[in-house]
Amino acid sequence: MKKFINNPERVVDEMLEGMVAAHPEYIRKLEGFNVLARKNAPVIGKVALVSGGGSGHEPAHGGYVGKGMLDAAVCGNVFTSPTPDPILEAIKAVNGGAGVLLIVKNYTGDVMNFEMARDIAEMEGINVDYVIVNDDVAVENSTYTAGRRGIAGTVFVHKIAGAKAETGAGIKEIKATALKVISNVRSMGMALSPCIIPAAGKPNFTLLESEMEIGMGIHGEPGTHREKIRTADELAAQLMDKILEDMSLHAGDEVAVMINGLAATPLMELYIINRRVHDILKQNEIKIYKTFVGEFMTSLEMAGCSVSILKLDDELKLLLDAEADTPAFKVI
Amino acid sequence: MKKFINNPERVVDEMLEGMVAAHPEYIRKLEGFNVLARKNAPVIGKVALVSGGGSGHEPAHGGYVGKGMLDAAVCGNVFTSPTPDPILEAIKAVNGGAGVLLIVKNYTGDVMNFEMARDIAEMEGINVDYVIVNDDVAVENSTYTAGRRGIAGTVFVHKIAGAKAETGAGIKEIKATALKVISNVRSMGMALSPCIIPAAGKPNFTLLESEMEIGMGIHGEPGTHREKIRTADELAAQLMDKILEDMSLHAGDEVAVMINGLAATPLMELYIINRRVHDILKQNEIKIYKTFVGEFMTSLEMAGCSVSILKLDDELKLLLDAEADTPAFKVI
Amino acid sequence: MVVNGKKLIEILDRIADVIEENKLMLTELDAAIGDGDHGINMSRGFHAVREKLKDDDGSDIGIILKKAGMALVSNVGGAAGPLYGTAFLKAGAVVEGKQTVDVADLENMLKSALEGIKMRGHAEPKDKTMVDAAEEALNALNSSNAAGESPQQAIKAAVDAAYLGLENTKDMIARKGRASYLAERSIGHKDAGAASFALILKTIFDELYGQESS
Amino acid sequence: MVVNGKKLIEILDRIADVIEENKLMLTELDAAIGDGDHGINMSRGFHAVREKLKDDDGSDIGIILKKAGMALVSNVGGAAGPLYGTAFLKAGAVVEGKQTVDVADLENMLKSALEGIKMRGHAEPKDKTMVDAAEEALNALNSSNAAGESPQQAIKAAVDAAYLGLENTKDMIARKGRASYLAERSIGHKDAGAASFALILKTIFDELYGQESS
Ligand SMILES: Nc1ncnc2c1ncn2[C@@H]1O[C@H](COP(=O)(O)OP(=O)(O)O)[C@@H](O)[C@H]1O
Ligand SMILES: Nc1ncnc2c1ncn2[C@@H]1O[C@H](COP(=O)(O)OP(=O)(O)O)[C@@H](O)[C@H]1O
Ligand SMILES: [Mg+2]
Ligand SMILES: [Mg+2]
Ligand SMILES: [Mg+2]
Ligand SMILES: [Mg+2]
């Protein structure tokens, strides 16, 4: 296992120390908990947004704490949902009296732990609500399963709900906006290589030099199936097919695009993917309002990418364009 | 070779198409040349900054084109300096009448090609000057060699000279500021894995699971020597030793820190490195004014990192804090 | 079979060791169709349980199990944390105030624990989760107790049934938890949570009756 | 030996093929102590030369070499582009207006090319660059011409000397170009630019006198 680490058991703690050291103008760490909170939290009168989940997805979620996005990020162990305790602590630390909205990615563990924390917080008299992001079209949605996963599309929820909260909107309105983003965003990913959980010390699966894993999540879990590797254009088309199949997009609709690198994939390759994604959208007469290319929701050192498409309306465009100032996501 | 590409010979062209598609609000491509120019270039009356070099270092340099940084980036083939033709074209496209300053990383090829372009541009009556960045302390500096390489510290030159140009300063002043940055910045890098030039199809060297390459450049070229891998803390100390040995830093001095990922290394690990770098600086009673952690000057899909330390004075602090709005580097 | 608080703490202590010894196995099961952290999570959790019970005087079985449940909720994380945590909390609730428990109590505790797991995770038998081990174990314990077999026989039956439940998960398509993302591809792999469940039950038996007789 | 413009264009054409055939070898030499693109760069450059000379009428050797030099400058990039480009431009400058060149011209051209390379790259012999092949070749050509040997003998001597120069780079410490970053570690590897230089010279000989006689 070749990593810049000291102790596999302490990677999250040490990472958070390094993050706080790097960005003291944005974030602080709650004493005794792996929670990054906005430096100036609680913002009195503003609804606070809390997200988080397992670590290993950096810059998600700590990198999105700041003006116009999150008020706190709860950082679990690598790929493991945080327990209710730090979530509760985060809720208490950022509640400015107007309530707290939790943004949770749809994984059994995340949902259960955030729900438990919400239950306790409500018993303590804090107004807490939550939304569950499930943008990953790789996984069949069904009430008989755990449902779709939340992946990179979550960052759009952070950005847009965060901008909404900044306008002084109430928790109900912000939740409605967040739910609108969730119902309008679809993502799909794939990987060229696995990743190594530091405490495990070896990869969860292996791929041949000629293979790729389609429908890859962001936890090193296998995807929906394996295929022979193909060209960037074919791959982009494959991901887009699955996304467009699941979205009701019509000629003239406007979208935001996110090409997300899982970590090891160079920006060069993400731009090559983006090129084809744009072509496909243009062929479908979809207007591209804004594009984000980079690493937004990673999976340790995995090579791979995901594409997210968010259908926009006037409200979402306005909120997407609103100023955001966080360590990892800035809109001027 | 597992990459999201279509044709190894066309990666740079396709990447640039993808970049322009992603960031039309910032950049445009010069017809027939692999040059990305500021959308609104030439900015009349402002000294224009042009940088560039081989591709494969994304977001450098195209990602730094925009307000407060570069006016154009010239994109050579992967790890190969661009020829004088596109450099000349870039100079002509962004010259707003106040002259053009070239920011060149110290590689034989880059220096020769930028010099040739400058010579031709001057013959055509454009006021062109240049600075050469050589921040890499891994390589012994000597007048009998090609000298030190330019690596991630170059991004500080882009940021600060870019901010200076934005103030309306003349080319001489901007050059003086750029030279001050160059004389105050030192970097050192290392790698855990090699990278694959698309057209070559295989790595330039191999490393055992237990080995790392110290003093790694950003072109897949071997470093100064090979060692057994160590902990993140030991590595950070090793890089910092070499950097501090070469800088005259005293207690109370202020610095900016850049922890740069070469591409495959996750942000988590960069923050773990940052943690130790901060500790070392604090032990030396050096004040840390600002820290940048991320991928600024990459090397295709290489796993590794570099640390850059920039000694600041009041002018440099002011310019570092000035607004920058580019696809890959934003200061609000 | 009568277990007092001190013995229960010893058993929980031993579970921490057994989970630690089987950390790799559990993690590998999870790696095949999940994210490969189950052993790591469980080991962290049961070490916290041990820590939490270090100074417990053993006077109240209910309190011991509640403390264990809280320690699991607060330290395991992921899916297993709330599930095992709830299971221990619920098991504790039905023996509140008791200084000792017998095999009838054990049946109640297991029943309540399983209800807690189902309530929290909404999983049913055949969803390829820890429920498949727990359900089989409870049924076997129930039948054996009803048939008037000895506590040793009853608990042995529960352990064997849990392992059968675990084996059965191999042929199932996962419908809950991370493995559900794999759909058909989850077939052929045993469920990690069912494995940890069977292991915990087996450790209880081994602590009560010795490993030889198992 | 008398070469006219048409023959020169044929030679340059053949160089493009030979570089293409040896692309991997040149790239591997560069990979060992540089960045592994020399073969790729040179191949791109000489294909551009071929393209540029496609419609040339062959009337002026100087113009042909200038065109080739410009094509190299504009298409090779890296260090080799300005260096080989300047070499061809300088070689062309000394035969401006000539319809044919002989072995004396060749000596002048090589001398001027080498001066151009040194002027542009500031390298000296023993810096482990293409200069080491060029310098040996020029000296050999010069001696052989001075001794009144035949053009074939003289050019053969130059080719052999270039390869000797190439061999010699193996034991040198690089002091210019990327390989210089490796310092002592560059010992034991031949220089890629010296290899392409020797290869180009050998191709000229082979085109003039046939491969058998070489
Ligand atoms: N909804 C559920 N109901 C019951 N058990 C579940 C459910 N979801 C997951 N599990 C169990 O949890 C185990 C996985 O636990 P663990 O790996 O620790 O958490 P995570 O899946 O969050 O990484 C699975 O093997 C399964 O037995
Ligand atoms: N300063 C110099 N003078 C002469 N030749 C040089 C110099 N620097 C590099 N070279 C030659 O250029 C070759 C490398 O060319 P190439 O790989 O195409 O460019 P780059 O080094 O920019 O990747 C070296 O093998 C060496 O022969
Ligand atoms: Mg997990
Ligand atoms: Mg090169
Ligand atoms: Mg798991
Ligand atoms: Mg090279």
Side-chain angles (χ1 to χ4, degrees), chain D residues 1-174:
Chain D
M1 167 237 174
V2 177
V3 173
N4 63 17
K6 224 179 123 262
K7 181 69 189 169
L8 176 58
I9 292 171
E10 272 173 42
I11 293 174
L12 289 167
D13 220 74
R14 179 67 196 138
I15 290 174
D17 287 335
V18 170
I19 293 282
E20 180 69 36
E21 288 155 19
N22 288 277
K23 191 162 139 177
L24 199 69
M25 179 272 284
L26 294 173
T27 292
E28 285 186 347
L29 286 180
D30 191 32
I33 51 174
D35 61 352
D37 60 359
H38 187 59
I40 303 165
N41 296 344
M42 292 296 283
S43 147
R44 186 173 53 239
F46 276 95
H47 279 99
V49 169
R50 170 183 290 170
E51 194 59 31
K52 185 121 179 194
L53 292 174
K54 215 172 47 199
D55 304 318
D56 189 281
D57 64 5
S59 61
D60 184 334
I61 302 269
I63 286 179
I64 293 170
L65 289 173
K66 256 191 203 156
K67 281 187 184 173
M70 285 307 297
L72 293 173
V73 166
S74 298
N75 291 283
V76 177
L83 292 167
Y84 272 115
T86 303
F88 276 79
L89 290 173
K90 291 282 179 185
V94 295
V95 292
E96 233 184 290
K98 290 209 174 191
Q99 281 185 291
T100 58
V101 289
D102 60 15
V103 74
D105 291 319
L106 183 64
E107 190 183 321
N108 271 333
M109 287 154 67
L110 187 55
K111 183 161 170 281
S112 179
L114 177 58
E115 276 165 16
I117 291 172
K118 286 181 172 175
M119 179 269 293
R120 177 69 61 204
H122 311 287
E124 292 300 318
K126 306 237 179 297
D127 283 352
K128 194 173 184 125
T129 69
M130 55 178 72
V131 166
D132 292 301
E135 184 96 12
E136 293 286 349
L138 177 62
N139 289 342
L141 188 60
N142 185 294
S143 307
S144 187
N145 279 344
E149 292 180 7
S150 75
Q152 178 166 356
Q153 282 174 313
I155 300 175
K156 180 74 172 64
V159 172
D160 291 345
Y163 275 96
L164 178 72
L166 165 60
E167 279 309 315
N168 289 343
T169 62
K170 195 164 174 179
D171 299 328
M172 295 175 189
I173 297 183

Side-chain angles (χ1 to χ4, degrees), chain B residues 156-195:
Chain B
F156 281 131
V157 184
H158 294 163
K159 171 67 188 79
I160 288 172
K164 185 81 181 181
E166 223 64 59
T167 67
I171 191 164
K172 285 225 174 74
E173 283 176 88
I174 300 169
K175 182 176 177 181
T177 301
L179 289 175
K180 181 159 69 176
V181 178
I182 294 169
S183 69
N184 280 320
V185 65
R186 296 289 185 283
S187 305
M188 168 99 184
M190 51 82 54
L192 294 179
S193 75
C195 60

Side-chain angles (χ1 to χ4, degrees), chain A residues 77 79-81 83-85 106-109 112-113 116 144-147 149 197 202 204 213 219 221-225, chain C residues 28 31-32 34-37 40-41 44 73-79 82-83 120-121 175-178 180-182 185:
Chain A
N77 283 296
F79 293 171
T80 300
S81 163
T83 67
D85 310 36
N106 190 34
Y107 296 96
T108 308
M112 291 192 297
N113 285 290
M116 289 180 92
Y144 300 107
T145 68
R149 298 175 290 209
I197 298 179
K202 61 192 176 78
N204 276 359
E213 187 85 24
H219 298 90
E221 69 269 46
T224 56
H225 63 284
Chain C
E28 284 184 348
D35 61 351
D37 59 359
I40 303 165
N41 297 344
R44 187 174 52 238
V73 166
S74 299
N75 291 283
V76 178
L83 292 167
R120 177 71 57 209
R175 276 199 271 265
K176 283 284 180 280
R178 268 174 221 290
S180 71
Y181 307 138
L182 285 182
R185 269 173 113 190

